[in-house]
Structure formats: structure tokens, C-alpha cells
Amino acid sequence: MLRTPSPDGLRFAFGTLTVLPVKVTRWDRDAARGGMLCAPLAGLAVGVAAAAAGLLLLALGAGTLLAAVATAAVPAVLTRGLHLDGLADTADGLGSGKPAEDALRIMKQSDIGPFGVLVLLFTLLAQVAALAQAYDGSWARGALAAVVSATAARLALTTAARTGVPAARPEGLGAAVAGVVPAGGALAATAAVTLAGAAAGAYLGPYDALRTALAVVCAVAVAELLLRHCVRRFGGVTGDVFGGVAETAATTALVVLVLG
């Protein structure tokens, strides 16, 4: 039976996935399970903060492009850039073409290689472009895009931490959360976020409700493709892979939200 995440799970989610001053009191597998199930709630908080930054700039007379830059910057700030760093390191590992052990060593290095730079650049450009287009549609659409993308990004972390997905290394945050979420819990979280997204989109119209739900589903699906490729390539997941999965989901959600 799926248990309701405890306060320790909430502290784990906010304490490890954001820079908010939340003290993590437990690091055991039960706390990690609750934390990864609560990851979308941490994403919701990050998304609301990102939307608030964009809306504030718009209210002060800034253009939609500047508002989009601020909206994209807030999640990076609130995560210390760890997800973006993970995306770049994952790209370097995958792009190296080397065996798993060597690729993992490349990912642990402090510098960023050419693959990481290129992926990071185009990912941020895509996020800013999509957010600017959403804000061009309306302030509400821009804010919705910010919240949905940040929540979908953390939902992808929940699904990536499900049972059956091994850790590539015996140490690190990736190993601490790998395989802690029951498959049923990951499915329930996906359904809950999808329905919540559809409900939020419904305030803008029936088409937006459908598109928002589709954005969440596509975000998880594309992130899953990356996850499976990384598991095949590296033998499991790492903290960097989790970061790459989150940024992939966020970008996919934003792109889907501005199509059509």
C-alpha cells in the first residue's frame, strides 16, 4: 500500500531539491522515498517563484523576453544550478563515446566539455524562447508555463527514482534515491500532476486544459527516453542523470505548451 509521505519526506524534498532553508533530519530510504514522491511539490514552489519573477517584471513594464529570462533564471538559482550542471555533465558523458566507467569519470570532473556547453546553451535558449512566446500569448499563459514546467521537471525525478532503476555508483545523491519510489507511487504522482495541470489549464479554455495535460505527459515520456538511454549507457543513474532528466522534462513541457 502506498503511504502518505511524512513531514520527513517533505523536508527531504525541499532540503535536497531547493536552496530553501529546510533542514533534512533523516537520510534513510524511507525519507528518500517520501522526498521523491514529494518532488513535484518542490517543483510547484519553484515554479510559482519563477512565475512571480516574470510577472513582476511585466508589471514594471519590462518586455516578454526579459520576463522569460528571469523566469528561466529563478529555477537555476533555487537549485544552485545543479540540474543544469547535471544536464551538461550527462551530455559530456554520453557524448564521450567511452565505456561506462570512463564516461562516469568524465561526468565527475569539475569542468564542462564541448557537448555539455552546446546542450546547455540550446536548452536555455529553448526555455527562454518558449517562455517568451507563452508570455506573448498572455501573462496567464506565461505563468502557467513556468509552474507546469518546473513541476513536470520534478515529477520526472519521481519517475526516475522508481523501483527497478539502479544506481550507477554506490555513493552520491543518485545512489541515495535510486529505486526508492514504488512503481505505483510514480504512476499515481504522474496521474495527479497531469490532472492538476489540466485543471489549471482549464481556466484558459478547454484546449489549454488538453495541451497542459499533454505537456506533462510528453515531459515525462521524453525524460524517460533519456533515463533509459543513460541506464543502458552508464549502468544506472547518478545525480547528474537526475539533473539531466529534470531539465529535459522542463524544456519538453515548455515546448509543448507553445505549440499549436
Side-chain angles (χ1 to χ4, degrees):
M1 179 181 295
L2 181 63
R3 292 178 292 179
T4 301
S6 68
D8 289 318
L10 283 170
R11 283 192 285 268
F12 189 97
F14 282 87
T16 59
L17 300 179
T18 74
V19 297
L20 298 176
V22 178
K23 183 179 180 181
V24 180
T25 55
R26 289 175 53 191
W27 287 93
D28 55 81
R29 298 287 282 182
D30 283 341
R33 179 180 302 110
M36 297 312 288
L37 284 169
C38 291
L41 294 177
L44 177 63
V46 170
V48 169
L55 293 177
L56 176 61
L57 283 175
L58 289 174
L60 293 174
T64 56
L65 180 57
L66 183 57
V69 171
T71 301
V74 167
V77 172
L78 291 181
T79 58
R80 300 186 184 91
L82 289 179
H83 292 167
L84 290 169
D85 180 66
L87 174 67
D89 288 341
T90 300
D92 281 334
L94 292 174
S96 69
K98 296 191 178 293
E101 184 176 346
D102 293 332
L104 288 170
R105 187 179 67 253
I106 290 171
M107 292 165 65
K108 288 191 71 174
Q109 294 175 356
S110 59
D111 59 331
I112 299 178
F115 289 106
V117 171
L118 287 173
V119 169
L120 202 57
L121 173 64
F122 286 117
T123 296
L124 289 172
L125 283 174
Q127 290 181 1
V128 171
L131 284 164
Q133 185 175 339
Y135 279 125
D136 280 335
S138 72
W139 290 20
R141 281 188 169 83
L144 178 66
V147 174
V148 170
S149 63
T151 306
R154 279 69 185 177
L155 172 63
L157 297 181
T158 302
T159 60
R162 69 182 182 276
T163 303
V165 179
R169 300 190 188 104
E171 75 285 345
L173 180 60
V177 300
V180 297
V181 175
L187 184 61
T190 300
V193 173
T194 302
L195 290 174
Y203 283 98
L204 298 175
Y207 179 73
D208 286 282
L210 178 61
R211 182 165 58 180
T212 304
L214 182 62
V216 174
V217 172
C218 287
V220 173
V222 175
E224 177 69 15
L225 291 176
L226 174 62
L227 174 68
R228 293 189 179 194
H229 182 55
C230 289
V231 170
R232 288 194 301 268
R233 186 71 174 76
F234 307 135
V237 293
T238 67
D240 287 331
V241 171
F242 275 106
V245 162
E247 290 297 332
T248 298
T251 307
T252 300
L254 287 172
V255 171
V256 173
L257 284 169
V258 296
L259 294 178

